Amino acid sequence: MATMLPQQDNSNTYTFSSRPRALQERKKYRQQQQQQCPAGYYGNIMYDRRVVRGNTYAQHTLPVTAQPDPIEIQRQHEIQRRAVARRRAKAQQRTGTPHPVEGRIHTEVQTELYLEELSDRIEEVDVDTQTDAFLDKPQTPLFIPGKTGKDVATQIEEGELFDFDIEVKPVLEVLVGKTIEQALLEVMEEEELANLRALQRDFEELRNAELAEVQRMEEKERRHREEKKRRMAQQQAVLKKEKDTSDKIAARAFAQTYLADLIPTVFSTLRDNGYFYDPVERERSHPFEIETSGGDGETKAVITI
């Protein structure tokens, strides 16, 4: 691929040339699992190093001998017409500025904080492209290896190899014998299983009877133990009650014996000590004494009458 542009005085003119090379074969069918693109094949031209970055609208130069394509010119006019129609529709939808009052006119001014020089807007054009879709790859046919060698055939007549009626007897004897033996083994196994089930059932019954007897004896022992404890508790309560009664009787007898001579002895002792006396005789035999004391607690005088 080679692209040659005429030399111009403008130093920004882009020029590129490369050696021609054969294109890689493009597969007709789409693979079920897409693999990575091989070296030299790009799915997106934006990753191609040969694509120039930046604004290239000022570099649209055609060779001197080249003629413009009428279809391309018509498409550009159509795009421009659609852009103008789109801008008109937006302008109609946007609320416009009201008309100025009489004697005044509208003037375009900037309302930003910092003034900025306005420049011409670069024209922008949207261009789309569409590639053909990949076809589904047909199913891969079954691999059949090629035939090698030579085909050889032989013919065997009836009765040459063996006589079926004679040769089948051993086979039948083995089959019937094995079948009967297997049946006998199964019958014996069933009888043995039945005997084992009967023995197990008898053992279960005997064990249940023994468990019931053990439970009965344990219950009987428990009742005897509880009865023994209850009788011992009753006997201890009776003995304690008898002891308390005997202690009370002994205490009562001792109190009666101790208090029998207590009252006369007390009265006689009190009488001997002079607690029980005749007031008249006491006044005659004992003068009446009056003690007076001073303010400081000392006895000042004793008056005898």
Side-chain angles (χ1 to χ4, degrees), residues 62-70:
L62 297 175
V64 177
T65 59
Q67 296 294 332
D69 189 1

Side-chain angles (χ1 to χ4, degrees), residues 291-301:
E291 294 181 357
T292 60
S293 59
D296 53 357
E298 296 181 357
T299 302
K300 297 297 185 179

Side-chain angles (χ1 to χ4, degrees), residues 176-274:
V176 173
K178 286 293 183 180
T179 304
I180 294 175
E181 182 180 0
Q182 186 67 24
L184 292 175
L185 290 175
E186 291 180 359
V187 171
M188 293 174 64
E189 184 178 359
E190 291 178 357
E191 291 181 356
E192 185 176 0
L193 291 175
N195 294 332
L196 290 176
R197 292 193 189 94
L199 292 175
Q200 185 177 3
R201 187 167 50 253
D202 295 342
F203 175 75
E204 292 289 342
E205 293 178 356
L206 180 61
R207 187 181 65 177
N208 293 335
E210 290 179 354
L211 289 176
E213 182 65 20
V214 170
Q215 291 179 359
R216 187 184 65 81
M217 295 178 67
E218 289 179 354
E219 185 67 19
K220 181 179 179 180
E221 182 67 21
R222 185 184 63 80
R223 290 197 303 269
H224 289 172
R225 186 168 56 256
E226 291 180 356
E227 182 68 20
K228 182 178 180 181
K229 290 182 180 180
R230 188 172 60 83
R231 293 290 181 86
M232 291 176 65
Q234 291 179 356
Q235 187 66 24
Q236 290 177 359
V238 171
L239 293 176
K240 184 177 180 181
K241 189 174 181 180
E242 290 180 355
K243 183 178 180 182
D244 294 343
T245 304
S246 60
D247 292 343
K248 289 180 180 180
I249 293 173
R252 185 172 180 275
F254 176 75
Q256 289 178 355
T257 304
Y258 180 75
L259 296 175
D261 299 333
L262 181 62
I263 294 174
T265 303
V266 170
F267 277 100
S268 60
T269 303
L270 292 175
R271 188 179 297 107
D272 295 339
N273 292 332

Side-chain angles (χ1 to χ4, degrees), residues 134-148:
F134 289 102
L135 299 177
D136 293 334
K137 183 179 179 181
Q139 187 177 5
T140 305
L142 183 64
F143 173 74
I144 301 176
K147 184 184 297 185
T148 59

Side-chain angles (χ1 to χ4, degrees), residues 92-149:
Q92 291 178 359
Q93 292 178 359
R94 185 173 61 250
T95 303
T97 306
H99 296 285
V101 298
E102 185 177 357
R104 294 186 180 183
I105 60 174
H106 288 318
T107 303
E108 295 182 358
V109 296
Q110 293 186 0
T111 58
E112 286 79 5
L113 182 60
Y114 301 99
L115 296 180
E116 182 180 357
E117 182 182 0
L118 300 177
S119 59
D120 295 337
R121 182 180 178 185
I122 300 176
E123 296 181 1
E124 297 179 357
V125 179
D126 296 335
V127 179
D128 298 333
T129 181
Q130 178 65 39
T131 58
D132 296 336
F134 289 102
L135 299 177
D136 293 334
K137 183 179 179 181
Q139 187 177 5
T140 305
L142 183 64
F143 173 74
I144 301 176
K147 184 184 297 185
T148 59

